[in-house]
Every structure is written in structure tokens, then in C-alpha cells.
Amino acid sequence: MAKDKKLVEAITSMDTDFAQWYTDVVKKAELIDYSSVKGCMVIKPAGYAIWENIQNELDRRFKETGVENVYMPMFIPESLLQKEKDHVEGFAPEVAWVTHGGLNPLQERMCVRPTSETLFCDFYANDIQSYRDLPKCYNQWCSVVRWEKETRPFLRSREFLWQEGHTAHATAGEAEERTIQMLNLYADFCEEVLAMPVVRGKKTDKEKFAGAEATYTIEALMHDGKALQSGTSHNFGDGFAKAFDIQYTDRDNKLQYVHQTSWGMTTRLIGAIIMVHGDDSGLVLPPRIAPAQVMVIPIQQHKEGVLDKAAELRDILKKAGIRVKMDDSEKSPGWKFSEQEMRGIPIRVELGPKDIEAGKCVLVRRDTREKIECTLDQVAETAERLLQDIQKDMYARAKEHLESHISEVKSYAAFKDAVENKPGFIRAMWCGSEQCEVKIKEDTTATSRCMPLKEEAAVSDVCVCCGKPAHKLVYWGKAY
Amino acid sequence: MAKDKKLVEAITSMDTDFAQWYTDVVKKAELIDYSSVKGCMVIKPAGYAIWENIQNELDRRFKETGVENVYMPMFIPESLLQKEKDHVEGFAPEVAWVTHGGLNPLQERMCVRPTSETLFCDFYANDIQSYRDLPKCYNQWCSVVRWEKETRPFLRSREFLWQEGHTAHATAGEAEERTIQMLNLYADFCEEVLAMPVVRGKKTDKEKFAGAEATYTIEALMHDGKALQSGTSHNFGDGFAKAFDIQYTDRDNKLQYVHQTSWGMTTRLIGAIIMVHGDDSGLVLPPRIAPAQVMVIPIQQHKEGVLDKAAELRDILKKAGIRVKMDDSEKSPGWKFSEQEMRGIPIRVELGPKDIEAGKCVLVRRDTREKIECTLDQVAETAERLLQDIQKDMYARAKEHLESHISEVKSYAAFKDAVENKPGFIRAMWCGSEQCEVKIKEDTTATSRCMPLKEEAAVSDVCVCCGKPAHKLVYWGKAY
């Protein structure tokens, strides 16, 4: 048994050191490995399979709204990056520069894309001529590079995987509609598939995307009470269109600028899943995103008939459309349990000689550790029901955690106290001045996360920082 | 009608100028656009959708053989690239170098991956410890960069999309088995899905991959008689393992080097589809890879009931599992026909007021232009049958083209004549010396494509170039 415990003992507990717990889980659940390329990670099969499920589900939802996939070059010539003033200021300090092709220096250096607004704009400038060409709703799945100084697996790395949608519309109204549509698509995906409740809101001007007219965000709350920006959707108005001269002739044969949006989600979501649902035994995956939903673990597998019966159960579960694996390795059952728990597989099915004799097996929920006995012929329907329950319960627990970690404050003293002593979001009024936003960040390290989209009652009528009249309700918090 | 013809007239005919025909199709079928990044292309929705279908089908086949997907960094530090001597010599002259991160020069420059052997090896050196860790069968879908001087859409560009599989095995035998398994998987995919017959063979030492012990290839024949290398599978033996020190302890607790393979297919396949199946009206897509398999085109759509009935047909076809679209734009039917033909959609369904009155519609095959009338309630079964026929017939025609474009030659005079006057493969014996291979290339521009895997009768017993005894049968040809 000593050996069985090793895997679990190697994890720091969440309460002792949340950051170390996170790193331990990421490594022990075999989601990533560090690479020889500083600040870049290797995404291993268990991690990449989660990303594939995220991709499949998001891609399907995108296509239902008329989005088409394309692929743009990974390089941006420096002159192209510089066309939109705010955008280049935001990104130039953190891009990787290619200066040589083969043995020769380039005439103009190029950066590896940190995001592709400039490339899409350059393309749209030629591709869009008439109102008949609109709207354009394109997306690409790719990797991007941002030269971060501090990196953490999934949360912040020099290269990460994402999708970036870029649309062009005839009117400002259509662009705004698409911006909100994608924000809601992201939020629904997080809530329905990742069992992760989010706050939908708008960024303050200080926090919005470089070059955007408005940035919308979904903010999730991690187990340690810190916020994680989990997806953003930007309305560019006609700013980029003017910088890149993207015009179309309307029905009256007049030239008009297009209105654009962009929106993205990244491998960061995997970090969010870990920090919202994980526990001291490792990862806990929501069934809808779990690469394997059930692990069948035979007990005393050397005894006659055990492996055969276990394989039979696996095949029955597979036939029912459940993603199932069987661990018939030579490890001890205790070790296998620890591994299945570490990897966050939602259900394990235990089956030994005595179970077979009694015509039953035991299902164990990863999230609650509850044991459910059922007869062998009921295994598929029991697993199906449990998977649904787990998905629902995980969402309910995360929702309860979010709601119980919102402090409503009216005074600056209470604000500071909440940042110090009450992990979570802080709801407080703001006058709208960047000065107050900066002061709050300097004094407390908390930042404005978003102004909620859904109408919420005002907390007071004055700014929590300066005391002047305030109409804007803001969710504040420490953030990843 | 003048306007209807414009789309078609803009294409150069294949016989006039094949290269120009290719470029015209690629642009007019809206597969790609040129970008501001020299040598890199924008893959547009119609092109990317073909790639998505290729990806889905290949990925499914990979996973059936136990392959798992991962993601490695896109950068390779220079010192890592240099670890395997032959490999660096092959790739260093054509990589893009990143020298700055943000505002600061890097301590060590890095290239953007031209291929990822070195990254996988670096990873495997830590990840593989014991025989229990083997085999490792990993794959990644990504883009790679090679700084080519001459570029052509899909066929040769500075950045392209691909998959690269990298496996590590306990024995040389297992590595060779995996190398051949993947070559056959590629060949079966080309033949079954792309309707594209290939020659399966082994590269000569001169033509093998930088660092490989053996390279296997599938070679397809384009409409103009030039060969296109369409997929390669490499056996590295333990060469990389020794360079990167990838060792495992075997069952007897002894240290052993692993044996490795890699294999890849790229967006080049889209170029192959165009040049194997296309005609003077544009693209012709095999039904199994076509993003849209049927286009419903209403005739006199302003007349009452036409659009409704057309939509009904579309829904019936969709329900039958066929990928179907309807063109209800304001263009004329002739224009729509031209567009559907240019885009290579396998079947169009024509439906006008008279058809509706007669309770029937007309299906037109893209490949043969044959018209098939059927009653409205038979549209789904008729389309299903036609899609199967088209797939089968396209393969048969391409196979017939391949087989009728193989010259068997015994003398060097005949060889030169064949290169000049008989487009296609040339089957001829070779003594095995690189000298003859180089001479043939210099004299004729033809290169050795492969030595066929399937045993074939010798053409003669002497080398077609030097006249010395020869046992190796080689397929030669001009190539893309």
C-alpha cells in the first residue's frame, strides 16, 4: 500500500499552497510537460484530448451561427502590425521577431502573430467589395505567441493554442449583435459543457483590447477566489476598417466602412477546469469534456473470468456511447484508483470475483466519491444517469461557490478588507474615472473584472474609491 | 449570358498552359488568396473545408492504430536543431530565425519548426524510461515553416499545414512495421477517400529524409504527367536516439536505445486533388472529401413554389446524411451552374417550375456532366447512388490515367525520349550508384521517385544509365 499512496502524497494540498497544488496536478495528471523552449509547454495526450473536446464542441457551435474556418499566415510584417496605432502599442512589446529566412536577413522583419486582426484586415481590404460580400464570419484555430516574462502552464505561456474569430459587417448594429452573440455562446459553453458558471460583462476602457471600441468578457471564479478571464469578444466599430481602408459599396452605390468584431478562447480554459473543479486527489473533469468518462478497474484480475467480465462491461458501456477505458495493467487496484482519481475520470467501475459471483459491480463517482452498486445488466443505464448527475452537481457546486464568494461593499475600507480577507469577487460602484481604477489596483492589487451585462441593482450611489457620484457597478477581484 | 460565361472564360485551358490552369482554378474556386506575407497563402473557407475533411478522416484512421495527439512548441532552439548532424544540414538553410523576444535580443536564437523531430526527441529523452513506456505513438496537427525561394499555392509555400507523427519503439522491427503501416494508411486514404491511386515505394538514399535510415513514399501522377510526392514515412532506426540519448531499461534491466519513426501529410494533398481530378471547368472533388456534395439550384426561382420545393429537396438530402447546399442567390442559373462546376461540387440538382409540375428533377454529375432525371421522391436514393458511382468512377479514371502513363525503358536513349515525349512515370533499372542518379537528373530533370514496395518484374538486368549490372527497379519522373 505504501507504493499506492505515493502518487497522491506527491500532491501539495490546495489549502497549503494553491499555486503548488495547481502545478502538481498539471504534471501528475500528465496534462503537460515543460520543454527546452523557455516559457513554452508540451501538451501531452491527456491535456490535448481535453482541448480536442473543447475544439469540437466550440467549432460545432460556431458553425451553427454561420462561421466558416480559414487559415491566415503565422507571420505579420512589421509595417502591417503598425497600421492601427492602439493595436501596435498593445502588442509590439511582447512579440517574437523573425529577422532571418534561411541564411539571409529579411528586408522587413516580421513578428509571429500574437493575434491576427491585422492579417484579417489586410485580407478583408481586398476581399470585401460590395454589400453582397457581407457579413464575413471567419474563424481560425491556431497557435499564437506572446513573449511573457512570467509563465504558468495553460494560464500564461509564450505560445498557446486558441481560436480567433474575425467578422466584418455592414452596420455598427450588426457588429455589436455578433459581439454579444459570441460572448453568450462562450458563456453557454462554459456553463453547459465545462460546468463552470461565469459572470458576463463589459471591460472598462482601461482593460479593453488594444484597438477595440468595446471588449466583453466572461469571468470565472477559481477555487482560491481569484478570477480568470475565460473568453473575450471585441467590437472594433470601424476603427480597423479606417486604418486598413476596408470599404464596401452599399445598395445605393455609396462607399461605406465595415464594422468588425473579434473573439477568442484559448487553452487557458484547461487551467480554469483544473482550478474550478479539482481537489486534493487531483483533477475532476466534467463528464461532457472528459476524454474518458468511465474507467473500468478489475480487482484480482489474475483470477479466472475477471478480465473477461471487465472487458464485457467496457464493451457494453462503449456501445451505449460512453467514452470508456479499462485499466488492465499490472499495477495494484489501489494504484489504479489513485491514477484514475488524479486524471479526473468521472466514474470508475470496480469489478472483482465476489462482485461477479453476486452479479453486480460498484460505480464510484470521482466528484463525491459516492459508491453506487448496481447489477451487471444495469451498468450502462446507471453510468449514463450518474454522468448526467455529476455534470449537473459539479455545475451546482461551482455556482454555489461563485455566489458565496461575492462581497458587496460600499466603503473603501470595506473594499480593502474584502480583498484581504474575503477571496472572490467584490461588487462595488465606480465613478468611471481611470484614476480610481489605477488607485484601487495600486492599493489592493484587485482589478476591475467587468461591468455585468445583466442589469443588477446598484450597491450605493457613490464611487467606492473617490466618493463621487457613481452609476457603474463593477465586479472587482484579484485575477490570473 | 455574357456574364454567365465570364467565370469560365477566365480559366486557361489545361492543354494551353497547365501551370496557369492550376493557378486559375486555385483562385477562381476560392481555395486560397495571396497574402501580404511573401510566399504564404490565405486558405479560404472552400479550401480549408477540404483540409478539415482530410484531417477528420486521417485523424480517425490514426487513432484506430493507437496514435494519440499532442502539441509541441513551434520554436526550436538552435542548439537542439544541431544535435543530429544530417538533420541540421538538411534543414538549417531553409528555416526562419527568431532573434528577438519583445524588445530584447534572445540569448540563443530559435527557428520556427520546419519539422519537429528534434523537439519530440528532446521530450522522449525525459519521458521514456522503461520498456513499459513503449511504444509512444504521438502525432500533432500544426503548421511548419520552410523558407522556400519559389512558391506555389498548396504545392510549395513558406508556411503549410500538416500532421507529423513521431513514434518510439523498443525494437528495430517494431519501428519498421510502424513505418510501413503508416505508409499503407496514407496510400489507402488517398485511394479510398481522394480517389487518387498512388505508387507505394522506398526512396533512394539520395532522396531520403535528412537523418532517416529509410524513407518510404507514396507518389501520385498528376494530369500533366508529373509526379507528386503525397506522403512520406521515415524509419530513423536508432540514429536520433543516439544523438538525443533516448534510452530505456528493458525487461532484463539493461539500457537500450529506442527506434523511431516519423510520417507526415500536408495541405499539398489539396494541390494533388486539383491536378488529378480537375478539368477545364475547374475543380472536380471526389464526393468523400467534398465539403458540399450536392448543390440544389432552383430555376426561375421567382415563380411561386420553386424556392419552397428546392428547400424541401435540400432538407430531404440533408436528412439522408448528404452534405448539401442550395444556391438561392439572385444570380442567373447559368452563372450558378458555372460556379458549382468551378467549385467541383459533385452533383447539382436542377429544379424549375416545369420539373415541379412533372414531379421530377434533374441531377447533373460534375465529373461526366451526365444528366439523370428522377422523380422528386427518389432524389435522396438517386443522389446517394450517384455519389458512390462518382467516387468509384473518378478513381477508375485516375487509375487508368496512371497506368497508361508508365513507360518501361531499357536504354538511356529511350529514357531521354520518354522524359521528353511521354509524360508520366518511367520504369527503369538502376545500379544503385548516386552518380547515375545525379547524371539522370542533370541530363533529363527526371528524379528517382521510388523503388516500388510491391514486387515487380525486372525491366532488364543493367542500369539504364551506366549499363552496369542492376537489380533495383526505380520509378522515375519529373516531379512537383
Side-chain angles (χ1 to χ4, degrees):
Chain A
M1 276 311 277
K3 206 181 164 198
D4 290 355
K5 279 186 178 171
K6 223 173 75 183
L7 190 74
V8 173
E9 282 177 346
I11 309 195
T12 308
S13 95
M14 294 172 104
D15 292 340
T16 308
D17 183 345
F18 192 78
Q20 188 58 48
W21 168 83
Y22 177 79
T23 309
D24 288 350
V25 170
V26 158
K27 279 282 291 176
K28 291 274 165 185
E30 300 193 41
L31 302 181
I32 69 118
D33 209 343
Y34 296 101
S35 78
S36 290
V37 188
K38 198 167 168 279
C40 295
M41 59 186 172
V42 172
I43 308 183
K44 296 175 74 172
Y48 200 81
I50 297 173
W51 183 239
E52 286 183 306
N53 285 350
I54 290 173
Q55 284 188 300
N56 289 337
E57 183 67 28
L58 276 180
D59 200 67
R60 191 180 62 70
R61 289 175 185 233
F62 292 163
K63 284 176 177 157
E64 275 174 10
T65 73
V67 172
E68 297 178 294
N69 285 336
V70 299
Y71 188 77
M72 292 281 156
M74 71 151 82
F75 299 120
I76 307 175
E78 188 164 18
S79 56
L80 205 59
L81 186 68
Q82 289 173 336
K83 275 201 171 181
E84 210 286 336
K85 184 178 59 69
D86 293 332
H87 191 69
V88 64
E89 274 175 23
F91 283 104
E94 57 173 40
V95 296
W97 290 104
V98 175
T99 57
H100 288 70
L103 306 172
N104 305 313
L106 300 181
Q107 287 194 307
E108 179 186 12
R109 65 176 185 165
M110 305 180 304
C111 69
V112 180
R113 63 181 159 223
T115 179
S116 305
E117 275 73 13
T118 53
L119 292 163
F120 275 90
C121 285
D122 186 48
F123 170 70
Y124 283 148
N126 285 314
D127 204 51
I128 295 169
Q129 305 292 336
S130 143
Y131 69 92
R132 287 185 208 88
D133 299 327
L134 297 173
K136 292 279 184 202
C137 299
Y138 288 170
N139 174 66
Q140 71 177 0
W141 292 94
C142 63
S143 78
V144 288
V145 169
R146 296 179 187 177
W147 218 251
E148 306 278 359
K149 289 200 182 69
E150 302 279 326
T151 62
R152 296 193 64 196
F154 295 122
L155 300 177
R156 196 172 292 279
S157 56
R158 287 187 171 171
E159 182 187 5
F160 57 87
L161 304 180
W162 80 345
Q163 59 68 217
E164 46 178 325
H166 296 267
T167 70
H169 306 270
T171 66
E174 274 179 49
E176 178 69 7
E177 201 177 308
R178 173 57 79 165
T179 313
I180 299 294
Q181 177 184 26
M182 299 318 285
L183 189 84
N184 283 323
L185 185 154
Y186 285 162
D188 293 346
F189 167 77
C190 285
E191 300 188 341
E192 293 165 13
V193 181
L194 307 185
M196 184 172 91
V198 294
V199 176
R200 305 169 198 216
K202 188 175 178 177
K203 288 284 184 192
T204 61
D205 281 351
K206 178 175 176 296
E207 299 288 333
K208 74 185 183 187
F209 183 83
E213 205 166 76
T215 287
Y216 297 88
T217 179
I218 50 173
E219 302 279 327
L221 197 67
M222 304 298 103
H223 192 84
D224 64 347
K226 282 166 84 174
L228 187 84
Q229 179 179 305
S230 305
T232 47
S233 187
H234 315 291
N235 185 347
F236 291 123
D238 58 7
F240 275 93
K242 284 178 173 161
F244 284 82
D245 200 25
I246 314 175
Q247 289 186 293
Y248 70 94
T249 47
D250 68 13
R251 284 171 189 272
D252 302 325
N253 219 26
K254 276 189 203 146
L255 274 179
Q256 303 279 3
Y257 287 107
V258 300
H259 292 74
Q260 292 174 269
T261 82
S262 83
W263 25 274
M265 269 195 161
T266 79
T267 33
R268 188 164 229 231
L269 283 175
I270 300 174
I273 295 169
I274 298 167
M275 292 196 290
V276 167
H277 299 301
D279 65 20
D280 281 345
S281 301
L283 201 56
V284 182
L285 291 173
R288 288 194 64 183
I289 212 69
Q293 297 171 312
V294 175
M295 177 67 88
V296 177
I297 300 181
I299 316 285
Q300 296 185 277
Q301 65 184 38
H302 59 282
K303 294 226 170 141
E304 206 190 315
V306 174
L307 277 180
D308 285 347
K309 193 47 112 180
E312 198 182 309
L313 285 192
R314 178 199 57 199
D315 294 343
I316 288 169
L317 290 165
K318 193 174 176 183
K319 215 172 155 187
I322 292 170
R323 298 189 289 271
V324 59
K325 285 193 172 179
M326 177 168 84
D327 187 349
D328 58 0
S329 66
E330 288 161 24
K331 299 163 194 162
S332 73
W335 183 266
K336 291 178 187 177
F337 294 171
S338 292
E339 282 194 333
Q340 167 260 326
E341 288 176 2
M342 182 63 70
R343 286 168 191 167
I345 299 169
I347 294 173
R348 77 166 169 260
V349 176
E350 303 175 359
L351 180 80
K354 284 179 190 167
D355 298 310
I356 295 173
E357 214 175 310
K360 60 183 187 51
C361 62
V362 177
L363 284 70
V364 185
R365 282 175 67 150
R366 172 64 184 89
D367 62 333
T368 59
R369 283 151 203 280
E370 191 189 344
K371 293 187 175 203
I372 297 95
E373 216 178 73
C374 75
T375 59
L376 292 176
D377 60 350
Q378 285 178 328
V379 69
E381 62 191 84
T382 309
E384 273 169 357
R385 178 174 51 78
L386 282 181
L387 289 172
Q388 283 177 20
D389 289 351
I390 294 170
Q391 183 80 28
K392 198 161 46 80
D393 294 351
M394 285 178 72
Y395 178 74
R397 276 194 301 275
K399 180 96 176 157
E400 151 64 20
H401 178 264
L402 170 63
E403 284 171 356
S404 64
H405 285 78
I406 301 178
S407 306
E408 193 173 292
V409 305
K410 296 180 185 181
S411 73
Y412 204 39
F415 191 103
K416 286 180 184 165
D417 176 59
V419 175
E420 282 294 305
N421 303 311
K422 295 171 190 157
F425 287 121
I426 300 170
R427 288 174 76 243
M429 302 307 289
W430 172 57
C431 62
S433 87
E434 191 167 317
Q435 215 177 333
C436 285
E437 226 181 322
V438 170
K439 183 173 161 52
I440 288 174
K441 188 174 177 183
E442 280 174 3
D443 289 350
T444 69
T445 75
T447 50
S448 72
R449 303 315 309 154
C450 68
M451 299 172 282
L453 275 195
K454 213 173 73 184
E455 194 150 339
E456 298 184 19
V459 173
S460 77
D461 54 8
V462 294
C463 177
V464 74
C465 181
C466 67
K468 288 182 190 155
H471 305 289
K472 294 190 159 100
L473 175 64
V474 173
Y475 278 67
W476 309 81
K478 293 188 187 179
Y480 280 95
Chain B
M1 271 312 277
K3 206 180 164 199
D4 291 352
K5 279 188 178 168
K6 221 171 78 183
L7 191 73
V8 174
E9 284 177 344
I11 310 195
T12 307
S13 95
M14 293 172 104
D15 293 339
T16 308
D17 182 346
F18 192 77
Q20 189 57 47
W21 167 84
Y22 177 80
T23 310
D24 287 352
V25 171
V26 157
K27 279 282 293 175
K28 290 275 165 186
E30 299 194 40
L31 302 181
I32 69 119
D33 208 342
Y34 296 99
S35 78
S36 291
V37 188
K38 197 167 169 278
C40 296
M41 57 187 173
V42 172
I43 308 182
K44 295 175 76 171
Y48 200 82
I50 298 174
W51 182 239
E52 286 183 305
N53 285 351
I54 291 174
Q55 284 189 299
N56 288 338
E57 183 67 27
L58 276 179
D59 200 66
R60 191 181 63 70
R61 290 174 185 233
F62 292 163
K63 284 176 177 157
E64 275 175 9
T65 73
V67 171
E68 297 178 295
N69 285 336
V70 299
Y71 189 77
M72 292 283 156
M74 73 151 80
F75 299 120
I76 307 175
E78 188 164 18
S79 56
L80 205 59
L81 187 68
Q82 289 174 336
K83 276 200 169 181
E84 212 284 337
K85 184 177 60 66
D86 293 333
H87 191 69
V88 65
E89 273 175 23
F91 283 103
E94 57 173 40
V95 296
W97 291 104
V98 175
T99 57
H100 288 69
L103 306 173
N104 305 312
L106 300 182
Q107 286 193 308
E108 180 186 11
R109 66 178 185 164
M110 305 179 305
C111 70
V112 180
R113 63 181 161 223
T115 179
S116 305
E117 276 73 13
T118 52
L119 292 163
F120 275 89
C121 285
D122 187 48
F123 170 70
Y124 283 148
N126 286 314
D127 204 50
I128 295 170
Q129 304 292 336
S130 143
Y131 69 92
R132 286 186 209 89
D133 299 327
L134 297 172
K136 291 281 184 202
C137 300
Y138 289 169
N139 174 67
Q140 72 177 359
W141 292 94
C142 62
S143 79
V144 288
V145 169
R146 297 179 187 177
W147 218 251
E148 308 277 0
K149 291 201 181 67
E150 301 280 326
T151 62
R152 296 192 66 195
F154 294 123
L155 301 177
R156 196 172 292 279
S157 57
R158 287 188 171 170
E159 182 187 5
F160 58 87
L161 303 181
W162 81 345
Q163 60 68 217
E164 46 177 325
H166 296 267
T167 71
H169 305 270
T171 67
E174 274 180 48
E176 178 68 8
E177 201 177 307
R178 173 59 78 166
T179 312
I180 299 294
Q181 178 184 25
M182 299 318 287
L183 188 84
N184 283 322
L185 185 154
Y186 285 161
D188 293 346
F189 167 77
C190 285
E191 300 187 341
E192 294 164 12
V193 181
L194 307 186
M196 183 172 91
V198 294
V199 177
R200 303 167 199 218
K202 189 176 177 175
K203 288 284 185 191
T204 61
D205 280 352
K206 179 175 177 294
E207 298 288 334
K208 73 185 184 188
F209 182 82
E213 206 166 73
T215 287
Y216 298 89
T217 179
I218 51 173
E219 302 280 327
L221 197 69
M222 303 299 101
H223 192 83
D224 63 347
K226 282 167 84 172
L228 187 85
Q229 179 179 304
S230 304
T232 47
S233 186
H234 316 291
N235 185 347
F236 291 123
D238 58 7
F240 274 93
K242 284 179 172 160
F244 284 82
D245 200 24
I246 314 175
Q247 289 187 292
Y248 70 96
T249 48
D250 67 12
R251 283 170 192 273
D252 302 325
N253 219 26
K254 278 187 202 149
L255 274 179
Q256 305 278 4
Y257 285 108
V258 300
H259 292 75
Q260 292 173 270
T261 82
S262 83
W263 24 274
M265 270 194 161
T266 79
T267 33
R268 187 165 230 232
L269 284 175
I270 300 174
I273 295 169
I274 298 167
M275 291 195 289
V276 167
H277 300 300
D279 65 21
D280 280 346
S281 300
L283 201 57
V284 183
L285 290 173
R288 288 193 63 183
I289 212 69
Q293 298 171 313
V294 175
M295 177 67 90
V296 177
I297 300 181
I299 317 283
Q300 295 185 278
Q301 64 184 37
H302 59 280
K303 293 226 169 142
E304 206 190 316
V306 173
L307 275 180
D308 285 347
K309 194 46 112 180
E312 198 183 310
L313 286 192
R314 178 198 57 196
D315 294 343
I316 289 170
L317 290 164
K318 193 174 177 184
K319 214 173 156 187
I322 292 169
R323 299 190 289 271
V324 59
K325 286 192 171 180
M326 177 168 85
D327 187 350
D328 57 359
S329 65
E330 287 162 25
K331 301 162 192 162
S332 73
W335 184 265
K336 291 178 188 180
F337 295 170
S338 291
E339 282 195 333
Q340 168 259 326
E341 288 176 2
M342 181 63 71
R343 285 167 192 168
I345 299 169
I347 294 172
R348 77 165 170 259
V349 175
E350 303 177 358
L351 180 80
K354 284 181 189 164
D355 299 308
I356 296 172
E357 215 175 311
K360 60 183 186 52
C361 61
V362 177
L363 283 70
V364 185
R365 283 175 66 150
R366 171 64 183 90
D367 62 333
T368 59
R369 283 151 203 279
E370 191 190 344
K371 295 190 173 200
I372 297 95
E373 215 178 74
C374 75
T375 59
L376 292 177
D377 60 351
Q378 286 178 327
V379 69
E381 61 191 87
T382 308
E384 274 169 356
R385 178 174 53 75
L386 282 182
L387 289 172
Q388 283 176 20
D389 290 350
I390 294 170
Q391 183 80 27
K392 197 160 47 75
D393 295 351
M394 285 178 74
Y395 178 74
R397 275 194 301 275
K399 180 98 177 155
E400 150 65 19
H401 178 262
L402 170 64
E403 284 171 355
S404 64
H405 286 79
I406 301 178
S407 307
E408 193 172 293
V409 307
K410 296 180 186 182
S411 74
Y412 204 40
F415 191 104
K416 287 181 185 165
D417 177 60
V419 176
E420 282 294 304
N421 303 312
K422 295 172 191 158
F425 287 121
I426 299 170
R427 287 173 77 242
M429 301 306 290
W430 173 57
C431 63
S433 88
E434 192 166 316
Q435 215 177 333
C436 286
E437 226 181 322
V438 170
K439 184 174 161 53
I440 288 174
K441 189 174 177 183
E442 280 175 2
D443 289 350
T444 69
T445 75
T447 50
S448 72
R449 303 315 310 153
C450 67
M451 298 173 283
L453 275 195
K454 214 173 72 183
E455 195 151 338
E456 296 185 18
V459 173
S460 78
D461 53 8
V462 295
C463 177
V464 76
C465 182
C466 67
K468 288 185 190 154
H471 305 290
K472 295 189 159 100
L473 175 65
V474 173
Y475 278 67
W476 309 82
K478 293 188 187 181
Y480 280 96

